[in-house]
Amino acid sequence: MKDRIYVCHTYYHAYVAFLKELHLRRERGQAAGEATLLLSTMSNDFEQFGERAKATGLFADVISFEEKREDYFPELASFREDRGNIVFNMWQRIRFTGRYARLEAPFIPVDFREYGDIYVFCDSDPIGYYLNRNRIYYHAMEDGLNCLVHFDAARYDNRGHFGLKAFLSKKLNLIFVQNGYGKYCLDMEVNDISAIALPCPYYREVPRQPFVDALTREDKNLILQAFVRDMEELQKRIAECGEAGEKRNKILILTDPLCELDVREQIFKDIVAEYEKQGQVFIKPHPRDVLDYRKIFPDYPIFDKTVPMEMLNFFEGLHFEQVITVFTDLKGIGFADKCVRLSHEFMDKYEDPEMHNQNKRIGIVEKNEEV
């Protein structure tokens, strides 16, 4: 029996897996290399990250997972057609759940039954269907820091008769509902249960900050070794921050993979235009943001998007007066005087509020944040 496996879909997921493994190594006195890191290519291009992660020695193995989206299988489309009432629609969903799991099976690169603990980030992806239909127990993991505070995906995706759908998933395993409601989901690790408006009884609070606080300089260097593909370029950006600090305020803008690309471009042009009045603007693209910011903003310093923003905490002397974002949770930032999350009211100016304020659709009112 192998120890653990982490199923990751983003760089942030992999970052949390590193934090958990380093914590376990300290807590249990275990040697490095006792877990497997499984990197799904479905929604993220990890490039050479897997090779760098393996080279750290923290994981026994790092494996690529060619996970397939629903639209990869044309035969699933008919199961999504509206049949006119909940009974027929639910029957279609039951059939969809079983078929999707079977179609995904050939692309699974490991035998999950060989692992003692399985940690799955974002089990709403195909891996969640596969594990539940194959009766394999796992631990779900928060997709992003405090993401359920800002978007309760399980309730939003299943609004309308949510209680019935949760029962059919958790108790009968006829359909699949993510984020703790799957029958074979043992629990779901979240950073802060108290901040979640409608918590699930299967949530388990595991704060991230103590893991970060316990990191040694050696631990931080190991993480940077894996995640920074061009340390020279990163150090150059950090040096530019220091030079700017001698002259004016430094403002970091974190992008988000929002809406359509043309609208997204206008959003960040407007944000840059507003905040450059207050100081020197730096841009850190989101890892899943495909907009070419170097082309759009050729005269602005831009950080490598593959480096999770939390890792900027690891550089002594790096400091910003403000960090600005639209939807990214900023509670993990320790390198700025003020953090501003523009949130839904800001986005209302660019698209129909129904497209981005999912919490409002399930009865949760959310306000802009300034920390």
Side-chain angles (χ1 to χ4, degrees):
M1 177 70 71
K2 300 178 182 179
D3 283 1
R4 298 173 297 282
I5 185 169
Y6 299 89
V7 183
C8 302
H9 295 86
T10 69
Y11 282 100
Y12 177 77
H13 297 171
Y15 169 64
V16 174
F18 268 73
L19 291 181
K20 286 180 68 67
E21 278 303 294
L22 288 166
H23 169 73
L24 286 172
R25 186 165 71 174
R26 287 189 298 269
E27 184 181 62
R28 302 178 183 177
Q30 291 181 322
E34 297 187 6
T36 297
L37 192 65
L38 190 63
L39 302 175
S40 171
T41 61
M42 189 180 77
S43 56
N44 202 83
D45 181 2
F46 283 100
E47 301 176 346
Q48 284 73 49
F49 170 73
E51 297 173 14
R52 298 194 302 271
K54 182 66 182 296
T56 65
L58 188 63
F59 295 91
D61 206 358
V62 180
I63 301 171
S64 180
F65 172 23
E66 301 297 325
E67 193 172 13
K68 300 302 182 185
R69 293 183 184 277
E70 173 185 332
D71 56 10
Y72 183 82
F73 308 107
E75 58 264 50
L76 293 176
S78 63
F79 296 118
R80 290 298 197 184
E81 296 174 2
D82 187 352
R83 301 297 179 174
N85 65 63
I86 187 172
V87 175
F88 288 118
N89 284 341
M90 195 58 64
W91 173 241
Q92 287 290 90
R93 182 166 175 179
I94 291 170
R95 296 176 64 201
F96 169 89
T97 301
R99 185 71 63 84
Y100 197 5
R102 289 194 294 274
L103 290 170
E104 196 70 32
F107 301 95
I108 304 296
V110 298
D111 183 353
F112 282 103
R113 292 182 176 84
E114 293 181 350
Y115 293 89
D117 285 301
I118 301 167
Y119 296 94
V120 179
F121 294 86
C122 199
D123 70 338
S124 59
D125 285 332
I127 187 64
Y129 288 84
Y130 173 82
L131 292 172
N132 277 278
R133 294 302 289 185
N134 286 278
R135 303 178 182 179
I136 299 172
Y137 288 100
Y138 67 97
H139 306 275
M141 303 289 291
E142 205 172 27
D143 184 23
L145 183 67
N146 294 327
C147 67
L148 295 175
V149 175
H150 308 300
F151 178 30
D152 190 333
R155 289 182 179 272
Y156 180 79
D157 292 347
N158 295 279
R159 59 196 182 278
H161 306 284
F162 176 76
L164 171 62
K165 294 171 184 176
F167 175 80
L168 291 174
S169 176
K170 191 68 181 179
K171 301 302 181 182
L172 302 181
N173 199 30
L174 292 175
I175 63 172
F176 174 64
V177 177
Q178 71 269 41
N179 292 353
Y181 295 99
K183 182 174 177 60
Y184 290 88
C185 179
L186 296 167
D187 50 40
M188 180 170 182
E189 287 189 15
V190 300
N191 181 63
D192 183 2
I193 291 178
S194 67
I196 300 172
L198 301 170
C200 167
Y202 300 96
Y203 292 164
R204 184 164 65 92
E205 187 172 274
V206 182
R208 301 288 178 238
Q209 194 58 45
F211 291 178
V212 177
D213 293 341
L215 293 175
T216 64
R217 184 68 256 172
E218 182 182 16
D219 293 336
K220 293 176 182 178
N221 289 340
L222 181 146
I223 292 173
L224 292 172
Q225 175 188 338
F227 285 86
V228 179
R229 60 182 172 183
D230 189 342
M231 181 59 75
E232 184 177 343
E233 173 69 14
L234 180 57
Q235 294 285 9
K236 178 182 177 182
R237 297 305 171 207
I238 292 172
E240 289 173 336
C241 290
E243 293 168 3
E246 299 172 1
K247 304 172 184 177
R248 56 198 302 215
N249 290 339
K250 302 185 296 297
I251 300 168
L252 179 64
I253 294 174
L254 303 174
T255 80
D256 291 273
L258 307 165
C259 50
E260 298 298 322
L261 288 179
D262 58 336
V263 180
R264 190 185 312 173
E265 179 176 340
Q266 187 59 55
I267 287 171
F268 287 103
K269 281 183 176 178
D270 292 348
I271 292 175
V272 168
E274 176 64 27
Y275 283 94
E276 69 178 356
K277 300 173 187 175
Q278 303 178 31
Q280 171 66 56
V281 165
F282 293 77
I283 300 171
K284 166 63 178 69
H286 189 283
R288 287 186 287 107
D289 192 344
V290 298
L291 202 60
D292 188 349
Y293 290 91
R294 296 185 187 278
K295 179 179 179 180
I296 299 168
F297 301 106
D299 299 325
Y300 292 82
I302 298 176
F303 285 90
D304 186 346
K305 72 177 185 178
T306 66
V307 180
M309 67 170 186
E310 291 85 354
M311 287 181 201
L312 298 181
N313 289 317
F314 296 171
F315 294 91
E316 296 180 4
L318 179 62
H319 177 266
F320 294 92
E321 276 65 40
Q322 293 188 74
V323 175
I324 314 297
T325 190
V326 180
F327 286 134
T328 298
D329 192 287
L330 300 174
K331 290 184 173 61
I333 287 180
F335 50 81
D337 294 332
K338 183 170 74 171
C339 298
V340 178
R341 185 175 182 272
L342 300 172
S343 196
H344 303 293
E345 293 178 9
F346 173 83
M347 277 299 296
D348 290 350
K349 298 182 292 185
Y350 295 92
E351 66 178 7
D352 184 343
E354 294 290 316
M355 298 176 67
H356 57 261
N357 197 342
Q358 296 94 344
N359 275 349
K360 187 175 181 180
R361 298 279 296 276
I362 58 176
I364 299 174
V365 178
E366 187 179 350
K367 297 182 179 179
N368 294 1
E369 297 179 46
E370 185 172 308
V371 181

